[in-house]
Amino acid sequence: MTKSELIDRISASQSQLSLKDVELAVKTMLEQMSQTLAHGERIEVRGFGSFSLHYRAPRIGRNPKTGESVGLAGKYVPHFKPGKELRDRVNASLQAELAAEGQDGESNP
Amino acid sequence: MSALTKAAMADRLFDELGLNKREAKEIVELFFNEISDSLERNEQVKLSGFGNFDLREKGERPGRNPKTGEEIPITARRVVTFRPGQKLKTRVEAYAGPGRE
């Protein structure tokens, strides 16, 4: 699912707002989420998960073309930790697929 | 510093876009629900500029009960991973760390 498909699906699930409004809302939400992380703050959505920053220590890198060593500064990278509900739902769908395959296997050996 | 929540996201839609409070709350709920539904159907979610939510399958591996030390296998499972997009990575890299802004 891409961003434009997400906008279409949200739009289909509600009747009050135009597609344009939903598009603007999705862009506003993603911008607010990016801004939050860029300021070093967390995002916490119950059931879905949380976003935070992880620190990467400074290290000596190497230019793969020249082999030359370059010092790389420490930096922060975004990290997502899925919430329990999302973890359980995603994993349950795998277990359901495996169970269905198992049944197919028995009926069509 | 307090974390961003769904309530604060709905407030921004109310303040900036003029949605009413109920519409704003509903759109925020639908946003996370549609993403979750897609992942539950084993469908990757690609939000350009922000990042991708990918699904990975992990095979069974040996584990241990940390309390008793007993060996118990960790069953095969599907997990969600997030790969931040280049634009988000660049914006976050510029963050200097606590107290240095």
Side-chain angles (χ1 to χ4, degrees), chain A residues 26-69:
Chain A
V26 166
K27 289 183 174 165
T28 302
M29 288 187 276
L30 289 170
E31 174 56 23
Q32 188 179 14
M33 291 168 74
S34 298
Q35 274 174 5
T36 299
L37 294 171
H39 289 140
E41 291 161 31
R42 296 165 54 82
I43 304 167
E44 284 174 7
V45 180
R46 187 155 309 154
F48 182 77
S50 60
F51 296 86
S52 60
L53 299 188
H54 280 186
Y55 182 64
R56 295 279 175 266
R59 62 189 179 89
I60 307 292
R62 210 173 274 281
N63 180 325
K65 275 195 186 136
T66 64
E68 199 181 342
S69 291

Side-chain angles (χ1 to χ4, degrees), chain A residues 1 9 42 44 89, chain B residues 4 37 40-41 44 46:
Chain A
M1 178 172 74
R9 290 181 197 182
R42 296 165 54 82
E44 284 174 7
R89 282 175 63 184
Chain B
L4 178 66
D37 288 353
E40 184 175 15
R41 288 192 301 266
Q44 180 197 37
K46 291 158 65 165

Side-chain angles (χ1 to χ4, degrees), chain B residues 4-5 12 30-31 37 44 49 51 54 79 88-89 93 97:
Chain B
L4 178 66
T5 59
R12 166 100 58 129
L30 284 171
F31 175 79
D37 288 353
Q44 180 197 37
D54 297 322
V79 297
L88 179 61
K89 277 203 269 190
E93 256 177 53

Side-chain angles (χ1 to χ4, degrees), chain A residues 1-3 9 13-14 31-32 35-36 41-42 44 48 53 76 80 89 91 93-95 97, chain B residues 1 3-4 9 12 34 36-37 40-41 43-46 48 76-78 82 91-92 98:
Chain A
M1 178 172 74
T2 62
K3 197 193 295 179
R9 290 181 197 182
S13 304
Q14 59 83 52
E31 174 56 23
Q32 188 179 14
Q35 274 174 5
T36 299
E41 291 161 31
R42 296 165 54 82
E44 284 174 7
F48 182 77
L53 299 188
Y76 286 86
F80 175 65
R89 282 175 63 184
N91 191 39
S93 69
L94 172 68
Q95 304 311 328
E97 283 167 33
Chain B
M1 196 71 73
L4 178 66
M9 292 173 69
R12 166 100 58 129
E34 291 294 341
S36 301
D37 288 353
E40 184 175 15
R41 288 192 301 266
E43 184 187 19
Q44 180 197 37
V45 177
K46 291 158 65 165
S48 68
R77 60 195 61 214
R78 180 178 290 149
F82 175 67
R91 288 176 72 174
V92 163

Side-chain angles (χ1 to χ4, degrees), chain A residues 47-50 79-87, chain B residues 79-81:
Chain A
F48 182 77
S50 60
H79 178 77
F80 175 65
K81 183 172 190 284
K84 178 165 168 45
E85 190 192 325
L86 181 59
R87 279 204 311 270
Chain B
V79 297
V80 178
T81 60

